[in-house]
């Protein structure tokens, strides 16, 4: 007998996005505007956050030429919406990028820093540092399920974590998987949630996705990647699409 309402994760199909922009200083008297993307339409009830600002410095040096692709290797987000989806019109696209470098060679090879994309329930500051605060969630699901596609760089795997806490902040259930496998087509990922103590009720849920579980993710220099519905050229690595998160109650 089900006695609890079947709560859902907000924006579980990743249909709602806010496109924001930042202006970076390229050199004296020159600026460039870059779009980045948050997985919500209304920030008053925000579920998801991104760490994109880590790979989006406010100023860059050593760029050669005015081609927009050259800016991609100096400043680029790590999460965007995609028009490729399992259902609906959008999904979340989480990917690894290499940006930075002290000279013009960064437009030719990956000489900067590689950042794995990260989408999670919580907040991030203006530098992209995450706070894994989760969101209010008061029921006990039996499984977490979602659809994904994953094109890894080399032997990399994607990362996913789910954690539920009670009102006092004590962890009732936590599981992380650092071995998310490759999938060229939309594939279902399901994990069971085992409740050790049914007398305790959750108050908070945290879910984290990362494009790579590697501490030093790799990229392919001067490669192409679909981002926000168009093809971009830069130094891109592992690419993870997520859609249709479901909390399953049995």
């Amino acid at each position: 007998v089900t006695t609890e309402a079947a709560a859902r994760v907000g924006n579980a199909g990743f249909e709602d996005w806010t496109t924001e922009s930042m202006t970076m200083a390229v050199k004296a008297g020159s600026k460039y505007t870059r779009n980045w993307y948050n997985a919500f339409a209304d920030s008053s009830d925000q579920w998801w956050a991104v760490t994109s600002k880590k790979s989006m410095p406010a100023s860059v040096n050593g760029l050669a030429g005015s081609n927009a692709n050259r800016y991609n290797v100096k400043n680029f987000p790590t999460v965007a919406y995609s028009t490729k989806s399992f259902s609906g019109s959008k999904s979340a696209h989480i990917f690894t990028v290499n940006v930075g470098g002290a000279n013009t060679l960064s437009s030719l090879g990956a000489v900067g820093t590689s950042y794995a994309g990260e989408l999670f329930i919580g907040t991030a500051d203006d530098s992209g540092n995450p706070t894994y605060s989760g969101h209010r969630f008061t029921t006990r699901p039996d499984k977490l399920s979602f659809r994904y596609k994953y094109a890894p760089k080399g032997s990399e795997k994607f990362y996913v974590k789910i954690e539920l806490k009670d009102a006092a902040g004590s962890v009732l259930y936590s599981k992380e998987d650092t071995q998310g496998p490759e999938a060229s087509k939309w594939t279902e990922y399901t994990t069971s949630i085992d409740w050790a103590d049914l007398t305790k009720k959750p108050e908070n849920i945290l879910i984290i996705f990362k494009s790579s579980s590697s501490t030093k993710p790799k990229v392919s220099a001067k490669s192409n990647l679909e981002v926000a519905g168009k093809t971009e050229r830069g130094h891109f690595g592992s690419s993870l699409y997520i859609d249709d998160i479901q909390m399953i109650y049995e």
Side-chain angles (χ1 to χ4, degrees):
V1 177
T2 301
T3 59
E4 297 178 343
R8 307 297 178 189
V9 170
N11 200 19
F14 296 109
E15 294 296 307
D16 298 326
W17 292 83
T18 296
T19 300
E20 303 188 31
S21 63
M22 66 163 291
T23 300
M24 59 176 172
V26 178
K27 57 184 178 180
S30 178
K31 294 183 178 180
Y32 184 77
T33 299
R34 163 74 72 210
N35 286 340
W36 63 292
Y37 311 90
N38 270 310
F40 56 77
D42 180 2
S43 60
S44 65
D45 185 29
Q46 176 182 337
W47 279 74
W48 300 96
V50 301
T51 58
S52 287
K53 294 300 281 292
K54 283 187 175 183
S55 56
M56 301 180 71
S59 63
V60 297
N61 295 308
L63 284 165
S66 60
N67 189 309
N69 290 331
R70 296 184 183 273
Y71 292 94
N72 291 355
V73 303
K74 287 290 190 177
N75 178 303
F76 205 82
T78 55
V79 177
Y81 68 84
S82 174
T83 54
K84 299 176 181 179
S85 61
F86 175 73
S87 67
S89 61
K90 294 184 180 72
S91 65
H93 188 192
I94 310 162
F95 45 91
T96 300
V97 302
N98 178 281
V99 299
N103 53 54
T104 57
L105 291 177
S106 61
S107 65
L108 304 176
V111 299
T113 302
S114 292
Y115 298 88
E118 184 172 348
L119 175 69
F120 63 98
I121 299 178
T123 61
D125 65 19
D126 199 46
S127 296
N129 299 307
T131 298
Y132 300 117
S133 51
H135 193 282
R136 190 167 188 267
F137 191 90
T138 59
T139 58
R140 285 171 288 212
D142 296 290
K143 295 178 181 178
L144 164 69
S145 176
F146 57 87
R147 303 285 178 160
Y148 79 95
K149 292 197 299 182
Y150 185 53
K153 173 63 178 175
S155 60
E156 290 182 8
K157 308 292 184 181
F158 74 82
Y159 174 99
V160 58
K161 178 178 180 177
I162 179 172
E163 185 172 271
L164 294 112
K165 297 181 179 180
D166 64 15
S170 298
V171 176
L172 302 181
Y173 175 81
S174 183
K175 183 177 181 179
E176 63 178 357
D177 183 359
T178 62
Q179 298 296 309
E182 180 177 2
S184 59
K185 298 180 180 180
W186 286 107
T187 301
E188 184 175 11
Y189 180 107
T190 302
T191 185
S192 297
I193 300 174
D194 303 315
W195 297 99
D197 187 348
L198 292 177
T199 66
K200 295 182 178 180
K201 190 173 181 179
E203 286 285 337
N204 183 278
I205 188 170
L206 170 66
I207 300 175
I208 304 171
F209 296 106
K210 297 180 183 181
S211 61
S212 177
S213 58
S214 173
T215 57
K216 294 182 178 181
K218 305 295 185 181
V219 299
S220 296
K222 297 186 292 183
S223 55
N224 293 332
L225 188 69
E226 180 272 329
V227 178
K230 65 179 183 178
T231 300
E232 298 278 5
R233 188 165 178 82
H235 305 328
F236 299 119
S238 296
S239 168
L240 173 65
Y241 292 87
I242 300 290
D243 204 1
D244 286 3
I245 297 174
Q246 295 183 22
M247 310 308 295
I248 299 172
Y249 300 82
E250 296 180 334

